[in-house]
């Protein structure tokens, strides 16, 4: 059903009615899901390139956004990073990291806006992670590289991702584990 449940009239005695879409959903696997840090919403990302926003109190779908590339992972920034709690970053199979912001000023017409698109990888993005201090974003890719971004103070009320560098590895990273120690922060890759 390409991301939906359809009503199809299979009447063979009369002219069938046109199919009608009853429900929107992901057309494939749900890759990631996160709850809002500031509201009663849950966002999901599918391998079909769609992002859905649900209000889990009213059980309603309030936003559907389709991207041209399949999704791979996303992070909804906490209020330690985003003062509004409406900033997100999403990774896609086209190797593009998309910085997004939700406009929830009108509850009846919530919108998801692209703030910035960063093409740092030649392969699909596989995983995103933020360190425990909320100062560093790490993005891994199937091209066997990781890019590191410093999460800077907000500019124009939006999160600013400043590229710090990249590392090429011998394998694809699919998981980040953070370890705090007294000297500084380090990460373990899997």
């Amino acid at each position: 059903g390409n991301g939906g449940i359809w009503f199809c009239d299979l009447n063979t005695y009369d002219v069938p009615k046109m199919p009608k879409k009853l429900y929107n959903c992901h057309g494939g696997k749900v890759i990631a899901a996160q709850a809002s840090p500031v509201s009663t919403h849950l966002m999901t990302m599918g391998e079909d390139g769609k992002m859905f926003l649900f209000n889990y109190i009213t059980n309603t779908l309030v936003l559907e956004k389709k991207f041209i590339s399949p999704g791979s992972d996303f992070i909804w920034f906490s209020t330690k990073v985003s003062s509004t709690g409406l900033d997100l970053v999403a990774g896609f199979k086209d190797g593009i990291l998309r910085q997004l912001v939700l406009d929830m000023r009108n509850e009846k017409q919530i919108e998801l806006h692209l703030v910035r698109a960063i093409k740092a990888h030649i392969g699909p993005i596989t995983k995103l992670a933020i360190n425990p201090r909320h100062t560093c974003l790490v993005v891994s890719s199937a091209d066997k590289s990781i890019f590191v971004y410093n999460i800077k103070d907000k500019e124009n009320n939006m999160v600013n991702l400043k590229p710090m560098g990249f590392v090429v590895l011998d394998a694809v990273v699919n998981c980040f584990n953070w370890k705090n120690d007294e000297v500084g922060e380090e990460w373990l890759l899997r």
Side-chain angles (χ1 to χ4, degrees), residues 18-132:
M18 292 297 295
K20 179 180 174 186
K21 195 171 199 177
L22 301 175
Y23 181 77
N24 288 337
C25 58
H26 289 288
K29 295 178 188 175
V30 173
I31 301 300
Q34 283 195 327
S36 166
V38 295
S39 65
T40 59
H41 294 92
L42 173 77
M43 183 165 281
T44 61
M45 171 186 260
E47 67 180 358
D48 57 1
K50 291 180 184 176
M51 293 185 82
F52 287 126
L53 184 67
F54 298 92
N55 184 321
Y56 55 79
I57 297 297
T58 62
N59 288 330
T60 55
L61 174 64
V62 294
L63 172 73
E64 178 180 342
K65 178 79 171 185
K66 172 78 170 130
F67 292 90
I68 61 171
S69 179
S72 55
D73 197 10
F74 82 94
I75 293 175
W76 196 326
F77 290 126
S78 74
T79 53
K80 292 179 181 177
V81 174
S82 166
S83 59
T84 62
L86 301 175
D87 293 285
L88 302 98
V89 66
F92 292 83
K93 301 252 183 200
D94 60 4
I96 296 177
L97 181 69
R98 291 172 172 88
Q99 190 173 345
L100 308 165
V101 65
L102 271 169
D103 181 353
M104 298 180 75
R105 291 176 289 185
N106 181 354
E107 181 69 28
K108 296 192 186 316
Q109 190 177 357
I110 296 174
E111 296 177 346
L112 185 62
H113 299 284
L114 177 66
V115 174
R116 183 176 172 197
I118 304 167
K119 176 68 171 164
H121 295 283
I122 58 172
I125 290 175
T126 56
K127 193 69 183 161
L128 308 175
I130 294 182
N131 67 344

